[in-house]
Amino acid sequence: MNRDDLIDDALRKINGARQEEYGDVYDSFTTISLGWDIITKNALATHGCVSPMHVGLMMDWLKTSRLLVDISHEDSWVDKVGYAALSAEVADEYNDRALDALESGRVSPDAQPEEVEVEVDVDVETKKWLNQAVDYA
């Protein structure tokens, strides 16, 4: 797919079906931002960072926000269940990795969340993109 096709497809969706399904974009983004603000503030207060589980909550809230516009939108219900299941799985892995780091001595039991370095396997293209994003910021 080339960029022109992608842009044309996006324009059709945001000016048609998506707007009909999710309502006014300003109202939608505002509702989403309110929930994400609460989740982010809580994450920073309780964990010192936004964890992978918090991302799951944020994605769930995105779907909840969309359901507030159309409570019977089946795809959003399916996505909510999917994000909940994936988030529970991520929480298990997160806890396993944290326990492993403690038991191996790589992390002190007194360490603050922002002091902990997390290793994540990413492919070469993702690394390039992340480095570009960091440079841009």
Side-chain angles (χ1 to χ4, degrees):
M1 175 175 282
N2 68 42
R3 71 181 91 178
D4 292 334
D5 292 341
L6 185 63
I7 291 168
D8 289 343
D9 188 37
L11 284 171
R12 276 190 299 280
K13 287 180 179 176
I14 65 173
N15 291 325
R18 293 293 192 265
Q19 188 166 353
E20 292 169 16
E21 290 174 9
Y22 305 129
D24 178 72
V25 69
Y26 183 85
D27 292 343
S28 176
F29 280 21
T30 299
T31 302
I32 294 165
S33 72
L34 293 171
W36 284 11
D37 186 53
I38 292 167
I39 295 165
T40 303
K41 285 178 180 174
N42 178 271
L44 296 174
T46 60
H47 292 81
C49 64
V50 175
S51 73
M53 291 80 64
H54 293 106
V55 171
L57 292 174
M58 293 166 78
M59 296 306 294
D60 180 87
W61 179 250
L62 169 75
K63 294 303 177 175
T64 299
S65 298
R66 289 181 170 177
L67 284 164
L68 292 173
V69 174
D70 180 1
I71 198 76
S72 63
H73 192 256
E74 185 176 338
D75 186 56
S76 292
W77 284 109
V78 170
D79 287 347
K80 278 181 63 66
V81 170
Y83 283 123
L86 291 171
S87 297
E89 190 175 291
V90 167
D92 282 345
E93 184 171 343
Y94 186 89
N95 291 331
D96 289 347
R97 288 183 183 203
L99 184 59
D100 180 55
L102 283 171
E103 290 174 347
S104 68
R106 291 180 303 186
V107 175
S108 163
D110 301 322
Q112 297 300 308
E114 61 272 11
E115 298 171 332
V116 178
E117 290 185 21
V118 178
E119 293 181 24
V120 179
D121 293 327
V122 293
D123 60 70
V124 173
E125 288 303 313
T126 303
K127 284 181 184 178
K128 287 180 187 176
W129 182 86
L130 288 170
N131 287 331
Q132 290 173 348
V134 169
D135 290 343
Y136 179 77

